[in-house]
Amino acid sequence: MVVQKFKIHGISIKDVTKLEKKSFHTGTLKKTIRIRASKAKVWRKISNIIGLPTWVVDVKKTVHLSKKKKAVGAVRRITFEDGSEIEEHIIEWKDGEYFTYIATEGLPLRAYVATISIKTRPKRMVEVTWKSYLSSKKMSEKEFIDFLAFMGTFYEASLENLRVLLEE
C-alpha cells in the first residue's frame, strides 16, 4: 500500500492507493457464429492452416514451418500487419470437425490452447466455435482483462470475416 500526501490550500490530504500487483492469470474465451454454407466449404476454409490472411483480422502472412501441412504435427508462423509473429502447432485434428493448436511463441502468455470446431445446424447453417484457454505471463489483473477483451473482439471480427467470405 502506498500513501501519498497532498496539500491543497494548506490542508493535508492523504490519498491511499493500492499498488496493482502483477501475477499470473488464467481465463477462457469462446465465440461462436452461424454461417449459411455447406460444412465442407467451411471446413475447407478453416482447415487451410496457412489461409488465415483471407479471414483472420490483421494477418499479413502465414507460412508452414513443418513438412506436414495439416493435421497433428503441422506448424505455422503467423505474421501480423504490425510485424509481430506467433508460432502455432496443431496438436489435435478430427477431419471435418475440429482442430486444436497451441501457441509456442509470440504472445504475452505462458500457455495458449485453442480449438476451432464446426457443427451442422438446421436450415443449411454451420456453427463455427473458436474457444481457448489462456495463462498469462506476470501482468496486472487489468492488463489481463484488457487482453481477454482484445482477444474476444479479435475472435468475433475474424469469425464475422469468415461468415461474410463464405456466404458470398
Side-chain angles (χ1 to χ4, degrees):
M1 198 175 278
V2 173
V3 177
Q4 296 178 347
K5 293 181 182 179
F6 297 94
K7 285 194 176 192
I8 301 175
H9 302 292
I11 301 171
S12 185
I13 300 172
K14 290 184 179 180
D15 179 36
V16 180
T17 58
K18 184 179 175 185
L19 283 179
E20 194 153 8
K21 183 179 170 188
K22 294 198 177 225
S23 59
F24 301 116
H25 305 277
T26 60
T28 59
L29 284 172
K30 182 177 179 182
K31 299 295 179 182
T32 299
I33 196 165
R34 288 193 175 194
I35 299 172
R36 186 173 306 283
S38 72
K39 188 176 180 186
K41 183 178 182 181
V42 174
W43 179 252
R44 224 176 3 262
K45 181 53 80 178
I46 67 169
S47 66
N48 174 6
I49 67 167
I50 63 163
L52 302 182
T54 63
W55 66 279
V56 176
V57 173
D58 291 333
V59 171
K60 182 178 182 179
K61 177 175 73 169
T62 308
V63 296
H64 291 290
L65 296 180
S66 59
K67 288 184 181 183
K68 195 161 199 173
K69 304 304 180 202
K70 66 178 187 174
V72 175
V75 180
R76 66 185 174 194
R77 180 177 47 240
I78 304 166
T79 304
F80 290 89
E81 293 293 338
D82 68 1
S84 62
E85 295 182 336
I86 297 173
E87 183 176 312
E88 295 178 340
H89 298 243
I90 307 300
I91 60 167
E92 199 170 16
W93 185 283
K94 185 161 185 187
D95 210 32
E97 292 187 31
Y98 67 87
F99 68 92
T100 300
Y101 62 94
I102 60 171
T104 60
E105 294 178 18
L107 292 172
L109 303 171
R110 295 182 305 152
Y112 174 83
V113 181
T115 299
I116 300 177
S117 61
I118 63 173
K119 291 181 183 175
T120 304
R121 292 292 180 220
K123 299 180 182 173
R124 295 192 28 195
M125 300 291 277
V126 174
E127 187 174 87
V128 179
T129 301
W130 194 348
K131 65 181 182 176
S132 59
Y133 165 83
L134 305 90
S135 178
S136 75
K137 292 182 178 175
K138 282 194 172 184
M139 61 177 64
S140 70
E141 185 175 7
K142 181 186 181 330
E143 288 171 323
F144 186 68
I145 290 168
D146 289 349
F147 184 74
L148 279 179
F150 165 79
M151 290 296 289
T153 301
F154 174 80
Y155 283 10
E156 287 172 349
S158 297
L159 289 170
E160 178 61 19
N161 288 348
L162 181 66
R163 185 192 65 75
V164 168
L165 180 70
L166 294 177
E167 287 185 351
E168 291 180 332

